[in-house]
Amino acid sequence: MEAFRHSSSVQVHQLQDSSGRVPPQAIDVEQYVLGSMLMDPKSVSIASSILPADAFYLPKHTAIYEALLDLSNKNQPTDLITVSERLRSQKQLEMIGGIPYLAELTDRISTSANTERHARIIIEKSLLRKVIGSMSKRITEAYDPSTDAFDLLDEAESDLFKISHSQVRRSTQMLKDILQETISHLQTISHRDRLLSGITSGFYDLDKLTGGWQNSDLIIIAGRPSMGKCVDADTPILQSDGQLIRISDLYQHRNAHILTLAEDRRFSITQPSAYLYDGIKPVYRVTTRLGRSVSTTLSHPFLTHQGWQPLGELSLGQSIAVPRELPVFGTHTVPDFDLQQLANTIRNTRKVTWSMPTTRGTAIKARGIQVLPQWAFTLQKECLDLFFFELFPSETSSIVVSSAHLAQQIAHLGLRLGILCQLRERSTGWSVTPHIRVDQTCGHPHHILFDDIVNIECMGDRPVYDLTVDETHNFVASDVCVHNTAFALDCARNASMDRDNPIPTAIFSLEMSSRQLAQRMIMSEARVNAQKARSGTMNDNDFSEVVKAADRFFHSQIFIDDSAGLGVMELRAKCRRLKSEHQIGLVLVDYLQLMQGRSKDNREQEIANISRSLKELAKELDIPVIALSQLNRNAEDRKDRRPQLADLRESGAIEQDADVVAFIYRPEYYGITEDKDRQPTEGKAEIIIGKHRNGPTGNIQLLFRKDFARFENLTREEYFDSDDEDSSPI
């Protein structure tokens, strides 16, 4: 026996770490538990429900434990003799110390009453060793210069999350309790006439097709970018009467006739259907080679050779559409002398002086004119022609002005005459050089040309505004062509507020602030026109409904994160914490293309990394992850505009990783007023399941309430009891 104990101590020494420290362990407790199992078959059942085989510190204890479990599973005795024969057949008896060691284990036991408590001590020591082993590995990797710090942090946190959940085991339940729960569940689904194996979307036909959102699935919900992405409050918008009005002023007046680009690439006059204030957001000033500039959010699309693309996906050197001409004139006339004097004042800035009273009674030199008078923008074409002739008497003329704003205004007036001006910053001011004049008599086929981006500069946080243009979805802002999530939010709302099985839900909004997101959800829930909230025109009844809706959300578990520039690893870390602390069962990401990946030099690799990471997150947490994704404009080249899998931006990686791909299709959005059956499309939406890895594909018909930005079931079904006061469709 003494010889055996000596060999046992040698094994412990071999398991020491590099510093000579022995990892956390409780060998005597392990011996007690194994002895109890050898003496009392009940202890085998108790220990096996708590302990995994790798919880033991000594390898020989693991071998004995596995032998005991194997015999128990085969309904064979677990006494000393049977276990020793089992170990002998596995050629492990000598390794564990033979029959003498097994006998020593039983000699230690006087009672098996504390087996459960001692088993939990073994679990605690095992967890500590796993933490030490995992973190030791990560510490070693941290010393390696080639290790990526962000990847290391993500892996370390993932290790800890797996360790913390590795010991979670369901406790046994009485059959009567299980039966009661089962009958209740069957009664519920029978009443609802639906059988879901996953989380409800709140839409009956969609749930029937998918069985609900399934755990570990990555669901992609794709659609065209929303209309009306944001531009800076000071952005000038050209009116049909020639006036230039800031978009923030248009928001106040709500009466505008603006230019929009039609499919034939020519401009026409239209009226916005909505004027929207989107709060304060980071804006970026885009400057082109010709000197055009406009300030927008990163999500604001620009027309490129490849279609409309958000600023966040553009880079220096790429070309965007700018007007070749803006054939808009006013009705104002002024005497020729006034036009000549204005042109002369601009051309001879350095000679301008203002008589100002001083202590010496002399005149001082002025900076000259900084902006054009308002009447200059409402001139008739003939007057504007004369003004430009006086300003640029020859085709090779060039002027220098002291104000960038003035230079842009002059270039803008040139566009009305079909004159393209080049703007350049000089040490003495800004030069304006006209170098192309469009021959309007020949009727140029397009009103636009493509100009290279030469600078993208962050301008900080600014108030931003939207205009919604219903048919063409674009307008001219600061002489640049610009383009103007409800379904996924409805899915998240329906899951988190499900009557029988509310699911804690995390929403990560990379485009909207948390306050804006909450306002949208409340207005949709209350069925109050969102425009009333923005304009402050809600009446008492509207406000009462909003308060009721807010109260319903108050009792839900919805977590919102609006962190700007959220990286995929940061997202995964936050989801792990929410899973650990609040047991979230659904994650919504709005939207995938705004997330930051690891491969900054290659957009396809970056998107592939993001989609793969989201799929891994779904598997790791064993919950559905819904990610919104944008579609390219390929669908708009088809007659019916119906989206396909190939229309997904960076479709290869996204389509491969996704378990479900759903497209949002609204014919009304594209001006299609009737479907193939001659039925009106107004207010109708279609959810197209283009990919379903574990089930069928198909199309789901829904209603879209534009005023509330809300999707609803097309037909009424009994999701609620008839006496439920909130029995309106989800």
Side-chain angles (χ1 to χ4, degrees):
M1 190 67 68
E2 286 298 319
F4 171 76
R5 289 176 181 169
H6 177 71
S7 66
S8 176
S9 65
V10 172
Q11 287 191 356
V12 173
H13 177 73
Q14 289 174 345
L15 292 174
Q16 291 176 348
D17 64 17
S18 58
S19 65
R21 295 175 297 184
V22 177
Q25 39 76 28
I27 295 176
D28 55 339
V29 178
E30 293 181 7
Q31 292 172 332
Y32 180 92
V33 170
L34 292 174
S36 298
M37 295 173 73
L38 288 167
M39 291 289 293
D40 185 358
K42 292 182 180 179
S43 295
V44 178
S45 300
I46 294 172
S48 63
S49 67
I50 300 174
L51 290 173
D54 63 354
F56 290 88
Y57 178 61
L58 294 181
K60 64 180 182 181
H61 288 173
T62 300
I64 297 170
Y65 182 69
E66 289 177 338
L68 284 162
L69 293 185
D70 187 52
L71 291 170
S72 177
N73 291 335
K74 295 178 180 179
N75 293 320
Q76 296 181 14
T78 54
D79 55 51
L80 186 149
I81 299 301
T82 311
V83 172
S84 63
E85 286 301 317
R86 174 65 180 172
L87 290 169
R88 181 180 286 110
S89 68
Q90 298 290 329
K91 297 182 180 180
Q92 294 179 315
L93 184 59
E94 185 177 349
M95 181 271 289
I96 64 100
I99 294 178
Y101 187 68
L102 294 177
E104 181 185 352
L105 294 178
T106 58
D107 290 343
R108 290 172 174 267
I109 303 305
S110 59
T111 175
S112 61
N114 297 318
T115 300
E116 181 177 353
R117 172 56 187 155
H118 288 98
R120 298 199 182 280
I121 294 175
I122 295 174
I123 281 286
E124 293 175 6
K125 301 299 182 183
S126 173
L127 288 175
L128 291 174
R129 291 198 301 274
K130 288 180 179 180
V131 171
I132 291 172
S134 175
M135 293 302 101
S136 295
K137 178 183 177 183
R138 301 307 173 196
I139 290 171
T140 301
E141 293 175 350
Y143 281 103
D144 186 347
S146 64
T147 299
D148 185 287
F150 296 101
D151 287 341
L152 182 63
L153 285 173
D154 185 57
E155 291 166 358
E157 187 168 49
S158 180
D159 288 346
L160 291 175
F161 182 82
K162 291 175 182 177
I163 292 171
S164 67
H165 285 71
S166 64
Q167 306 302 328
V168 176
R169 296 191 171 201
R170 290 183 59 88
S171 60
T172 56
Q173 294 177 277
M174 290 288 290
L175 177 59
K176 64 179 183 180
D177 295 331
I178 299 173
L179 288 175
Q180 184 177 359
E181 180 182 338
T182 303
I183 294 299
S184 176
H185 173 69
L186 291 174
Q187 185 179 21
T188 299
I189 63 176
S190 175
H191 176 71
R192 290 189 173 191
D193 191 28
R194 59 171 182 166
L195 178 60
L196 295 184
S197 56
I199 295 172
T200 180
S201 68
F203 303 108
Y204 319 130
D205 293 334
L206 182 59
D207 283 347
K208 290 177 182 177
L209 187 65
T210 63
W213 306 128
Q214 302 297 312
N215 288 340
S216 79
D217 274 4
L218 172 61
I219 299 107
I220 298 296
I221 297 177
R224 286 290 298 142
S226 59
M227 314 315 121
K229 300 299 182 183
C230 312
V231 297
D232 184 278
D234 292 333
T235 302
I237 308 295
L238 176 60
Q239 306 298 292
S240 60
D241 62 358
Q243 293 187 73
L244 282 178
I245 301 179
R246 298 190 315 159
I247 192 170
S248 57
D249 294 331
L250 289 183
Y251 172 78
Q252 298 295 331
H253 301 314
R254 301 177 185 278
N255 183 22
H257 294 76
I258 62 176
L259 285 183
T260 186
L261 186 66
E263 291 186 0
D264 61 359
R265 299 290 175 92
R266 295 182 70 82
F267 292 116
S268 60
I269 302 297
T270 188
Q271 285 186 279
S273 62
Y275 304 80
L276 311 174
Y277 171 61
D278 268 357
I280 297 177
K281 295 183 179 179
V283 298
Y284 296 79
R285 182 167 61 197
V286 179
T287 304
T288 68
R289 195 172 301 281
L290 284 174
R292 313 277 180 92
S293 68
V294 62
S295 297
T296 76
T297 58
L298 283 177
S299 56
H300 200 114
F302 290 78
L303 181 58
T304 71
H305 290 295
Q306 290 75 40
W308 294 94
Q309 292 183 276
L311 175 57
E313 296 182 11
L314 300 179
S315 58
L316 301 184
Q318 285 187 263
S319 299
I320 60 174
V322 299
R324 182 191 299 272
E325 58 179 318
L326 294 172
V328 175
F329 303 96
T331 58
H332 191 65
T333 60
V334 296
D336 292 354
F337 175 77
D338 290 342
L339 296 173
Q340 294 167 351
Q341 186 178 44
L342 177 60
N344 187 59
T345 302
I346 295 172
R347 287 181 55 82
N348 300 284
T349 300
R350 296 180 180 178
K351 297 181 180 180
V352 175
T353 58
W354 291 346
S355 297
M356 295 186 66
T358 65
T359 54
R360 298 182 180 179
T362 59
I364 63 172
K365 191 173 184 179
R367 290 187 303 160
I369 188 171
Q370 298 293 298
V371 296
L372 291 174
Q374 285 298 315
W375 55 260
F377 300 102
T378 58
L379 291 172
Q380 289 184 344
K381 182 178 183 300
E382 294 75 13
C383 292
L384 192 57
D385 259 326
L386 176 59
F387 170 66
F388 250 76
F389 176 78
E390 295 292 339
L391 195 58
F392 302 102
S394 68
E395 293 185 358
T396 60
S397 298
S398 179
I399 61 173
V400 176
V401 298
S402 59
S403 163
H405 191 189
L406 177 60
Q408 291 166 353
Q409 288 181 328
I410 294 172
H412 167 77
L413 291 181
L415 283 178
R416 301 190 186 188
L417 299 170
I419 301 173
L420 294 181
C421 295
Q422 173 75 61
L423 306 183
R424 287 194 175 91
E425 188 174 9
R426 305 294 189 187
S427 58
T428 55
W430 286 79
S431 69
V432 184
T433 306
H435 60 214
I436 300 177
R437 180 160 188 150
V438 178
D439 187 353
Q440 295 175 314
T441 61
C442 295
H444 199 279
H446 291 166
H447 279 158
I448 65 170
L449 56 85
F450 287 90
D451 195 6
D452 294 342
I453 297 175
V454 296
N455 190 37
I456 300 176
E457 178 184 6
C458 180
M459 304 302 293
D461 292 343
R462 293 274 298 153
V464 291
Y465 292 82
D466 292 346
L467 296 179
T468 298
V469 181
D470 285 333
E471 298 205 8
T472 56
H473 315 304
N474 67 77
F475 56 95
V476 177
S478 195
D479 296 346
V480 176
C481 301
V482 296
H483 203 278
N484 345 322
T485 323
F487 176 70
L489 286 180
D490 284 341
C491 289
R493 176 265 179 206
N494 294 338
S496 63
M497 300 178 71
D498 185 54
R499 175 173 169 175
D500 296 309
N501 185 31
I503 303 297
T505 300
I507 300 175
F508 293 88
S509 176
L510 285 77
E511 187 174 26
M512 301 174 64
S513 70
S514 57
R515 183 192 58 78
Q516 292 169 326
L517 196 61
Q519 179 173 311
R520 171 178 286 192
M521 295 177 73
I522 291 173
M523 301 305 292
S524 174
E525 176 73 8
R527 291 181 173 82
V528 172
N529 191 306
Q531 185 60 30
K532 290 185 176 181
R534 294 189 183 97
S535 60
T537 57
M538 287 192 299
N539 56 35
D540 291 343
N541 184 61
D542 292 334
F543 194 77
S544 175
E545 293 301 318
V546 167
V547 172
K548 291 179 183 178
D551 182 65
R552 290 195 289 273
F553 277 115
F554 185 80
H555 297 286
S556 68
Q557 289 195 71
I558 299 178
F559 304 89
I560 298 177
D561 188 305
D562 62 355
S563 303
L566 184 67
V568 67
M569 285 183 294
E570 184 181 359
L571 170 74
R572 292 176 63 174
K574 290 182 175 182
C575 287
R576 291 188 191 108
R577 286 193 288 272
L578 286 169
K579 176 69 172 180
S580 177
E581 297 172 5
H582 302 286
Q583 288 301 305
I584 59 168
L586 179 67
V587 170
L588 171 64
V589 180
D590 178 19
Y591 59 89
L592 188 148
Q593 279 85 1
L594 282 182
M595 291 194 68
Q596 294 182 4
R598 302 292 301 131
S599 303
K600 296 296 185 182
D601 297 332
N602 187 304
R603 180 60 178 169
E604 288 188 12
Q605 291 181 8
E606 185 177 17
I607 290 295
N609 170 264
I610 293 170
S611 63
R612 183 173 60 253
S613 296
L614 291 178
K615 173 57 180 175
E616 291 172 353
L617 176 67
K619 291 177 63 178
E620 179 182 345
L621 302 187
D622 194 29
I623 61 175
V625 173
I626 299 176
L628 277 67
S629 177
Q630 287 191 352
L631 293 173
N632 57 37
R633 292 181 66 87
N634 291 345
E636 299 184 17
D637 295 330
R638 305 185 192 106
K639 184 176 181 180
D640 61 358
R641 310 294 205 274
R642 298 180 69 82
Q644 301 173 1
L645 286 173
D647 299 334
L648 280 171
R649 285 189 175 168
E650 297 89 16
S651 61
I654 298 174
E655 180 184 347
Q656 178 180 348
D657 293 322
D659 296 282
V660 177
V661 178
F663 300 102
I664 303 172
Y665 174 60
R666 288 201 296 121
E668 184 182 8
Y669 169 92
Y670 296 104
I672 301 174
T673 58
E674 293 183 347
D675 61 19
K676 61 182 180 180
D677 298 323
R678 299 279 187 181
Q679 297 299 313
T681 61
E682 182 179 2
K684 293 183 180 180
E686 192 173 333
I687 305 301
I688 303 171
I689 305 297
K691 176 185 177 181
H692 191 187
R693 194 188 303 275
N694 301 308
T697 59
N699 302 344
I700 307 301
Q701 301 293 327
L702 297 175
L703 290 176
F704 179 67
R705 305 290 298 274
K706 184 187 301 184
D707 289 347
F708 313 140
R710 178 186 178 105
F711 287 82
E712 297 180 352
N713 289 292
L714 190 62
T715 57
R716 170 69 176 156
E717 291 195 23
E718 294 301 324
Y719 258 39
F720 301 96
D721 292 331
S722 59
D723 60 348
D724 189 349
E725 65 177 12
D726 184 20
S727 59
S728 54
I730 292 179

